Amino acid sequence: MSTSRELTRCKTFIPGFDLISNGGLPAGRTTLVSGGPGSAKTILAAQFLAEGIRNASQPGCFVTFEEQPADIRRNLASFGWNIEKWEDENKWIFVDGSLHPKDEPVMVGDYDLGGLMARVNHAVRTINAQRVSLDSIGAMLVQFGMPVVIRRELYRVAWQLREMDVTSIITAEHTGQAEAPVEEYVADNVIILRNTLEEEKRRRTLEILKFRGASHLKGEFPFTISEDSGIILLPLSSIELRQKSSDKRITSGISELDAMCGGGFYRDSVVLVSGATGTGKTLTATQFLAALGEDERGLLFAFEESRDQLYRNALGWGVDFPSLEAAGRLRIVSEYPEVAAPEDHLLRIKKQIEDFQPTRTAVDSLSALERISTVRTFREFVLALTSYLKDKQIAGVFTSTTPSLLGGSTVTEAHISSVTDSIILLRYVEAFGEMRRGITVLKMRGSQHDRNIREYSIDSGGMHIGEPFRGISGILSGQFTHSTSSELQTLHRMFENDDEES
Amino acid sequence: MCKDFLGNHVMLEIIDVLQRPDEAENEKILATPTLIRQSPGPARRLVGDLGEPDRLIQLLGLQDHIRPRQ
């Protein structure tokens, strides 16, 4: 089998990394991590060791050329890594190669890194380290000059690390300009970290450029640095379609809508509600959350309105949010979308879901998040969230605002229509000089549904859905035409003829 | 060479980092060879192959300590 020839892997336990690398770093080898300033190289190098200690009891050796050990201990403590304790337990060891200003060396001739190598070797043996991180080449170059010598020496270092049978990371500076540093050509395994500015927003990504002799997923994967656990990769594009699907139906909170959907939403389905402003999207989400069954819990992520506004709105439709919240059956998370990047929002949403364990989740609205994202990020966000909900078997309602009052579609729809199970459209209908509202179920995966566009009204009891619109076409496009009854009859006869012919 | 220039006033310790990695650690040695002048202070480090004696003496700042050549 081809897999037997694959290199064995060293699982990093960095969330998401082992998935995109098909199992971790090549074991016993050196991987170059190249990135610009502020691209989280040091964090990655340290997290590789920290996760090894925490998850696999593999001691690690951190060789620093840049920051002093005291600074590293302090800086990384915020991630919950108690390096000092690990040092006491012989799980973590520093080799301090950082430059002390008082003993700046004078270079007089050719040299090698024999001193460094002896120290690393000694450190690795002392605690039986299985992981080694060196941070970073750039700082070495500043200390010693002579890039040619440093590079030659680093290959020797990498070679010796291999002899010691440790898996190692060496970080290097990458300016992001046209030419890649020499190291990237020569190293067997290269990971690139990027921190780029995309439409005025910072976006962190990790790319495995190459693993010699080992497979990995290709392309850039966004990651975020969580305040309490370090780097978390979000392998959005590699979501597996392994969701189980449920036949169990739950109510949408609107009995007529349940009937239109053929008996309610599926328990693990994600429903997109799309409409112009004022058509009742927040209402749909509200009624969905208020219709909690026994043992059910609802979680609402509100990106457009404050908690108080939501309370007031809900009360206007006969839903008592405050007492649901007090009973611990509902949680409302209200945030401005601008407070975080989409990746961070995704992380926060996941944390809330893990914490609260809801059976129903609503996001009002996705369009608000679209404002803060680039097209690609937004699509990845929605895909990741959808697949996460489905994996957890949570029913979801996302709302999406159409830019124009009449007709139109949203970018959201274009991106996620294929991943959502159902799409419900709320539309204004101009009829005989009056604005009325129409609802239709555009798609209902795995089930029959009502194909009519029905009129609905909203009062203190919520949404009430009535009869289908007759004699009006073009509602979805917003280009209404009113047909007379004779035309309708003609249409009817036309199909009758078709039936007879066939 | 030390003897040549400085006579018996010099104390030189040679440490093989492979044999004594703990000493290398204490002195935070990265490159070999490294020559550390501990006294007279302040300490000074020279890294690399030691070439011409005259330049070395200059770099170590030991001009005033040289024993006149015989």
Side-chain angles (χ1 to χ4, degrees), chain A residues 65 94-97 100 103-116 118-119 122 140 143-144, chain B residues 17-18 21-22 24-33 43-51 55-56 59:
Chain A
F65 302 114
F94 275 112
V95 172
D96 180 9
H100 296 264
D103 45 40
E104 198 166 332
V106 181
M107 314 306 294
V108 292
D110 196 16
Y111 65 93
D112 62 26
L113 293 177
L116 170 71
R119 290 168 63 191
H122 179 61
M140 284 283 277
Q143 253 188 73
F144 287 103
Chain B
V17 291
L18 294 175
D22 49 323
E25 185 64 45
N26 289 340
E27 288 297 335
K28 307 222 175 297
I29 303 292
L30 292 179
T32 46
R44 187 144 210 206
R45 292 177 172 226
L46 299 188
V47 169
D49 284 335
L50 305 170
R55 183 152 173 261
L56 178 62
L59 285 166

Side-chain angles (χ1 to χ4, degrees), chain A residues 305-368:
Chain A
E305 287 168 300
S306 71
R307 178 179 298 268
D308 288 343
Q309 276 174 307
L310 289 162
Y311 282 172
R312 198 186 55 209
N313 294 345
L315 213 58
W317 301 315
V319 174
D320 187 3
F321 269 174
S323 62
L324 275 173
E325 261 203 313
R329 305 191 62 200
L330 178 76
R331 182 181 285 184
I332 296 174
V333 180
S334 175
E335 272 185 324
Y336 276 112
E338 280 80 5
V339 299
E343 297 92 82
D344 299 316
H345 275 299
L346 182 65
L347 210 66
R348 289 172 189 223
I349 290 174
K350 283 184 174 179
K351 268 187 188 156
Q352 287 285 354
I353 288 176
E354 256 148 50
D355 184 43
F356 192 62
Q357 298 285 334
T359 54
R360 295 174 181 230
T361 296
V363 178
D364 186 38
S365 71
L366 280 183
S367 313

Side-chain angles (χ1 to χ4, degrees), chain A residues 4 22 31 42 93 98 118 126 129 154 158 189 321 419 451-452 469:
Chain A
S4 62
N22 287 348
T31 300
T42 304
I93 194 165
S98 61
T126 305
L154 280 167
N189 311 304
F321 269 174
V419 292
R451 286 168 206 281
N452 286 311
F469 283 99

Side-chain angles (χ1 to χ4, degrees), chain B:
Chain B
M1 193 176 84
C2 284
K3 280 224 159 69
D4 267 5
F5 288 94
L6 302 165
N8 292 326
H9 300 291
V10 66
M11 207 179 85
L12 180 69
E13 189 183 3
I14 295 167
I15 296 167
D16 180 348
V17 291
L18 294 175
Q19 306 291 326
R20 304 273 305 279
D22 49 323
E23 279 297 327
E25 185 64 45
N26 289 340
E27 288 297 335
K28 307 222 175 297
I29 303 292
L30 292 179
T32 46
T34 296
L35 175 65
I36 305 175
R37 184 201 71 194
Q38 288 182 323
S39 163
R44 187 144 210 206
R45 292 177 172 226
L46 299 188
V47 169
D49 284 335
L50 305 170
E52 293 166 32
D54 290 341
R55 183 152 173 261
L56 178 62
I57 281 165
Q58 207 178 359
L59 285 166
L60 285 170
L62 298 175
Q63 297 92 325
D64 301 339
H65 301 267
I66 295 176
R67 195 174 62 166
R69 290 189 197 222
Q70 288 157 348

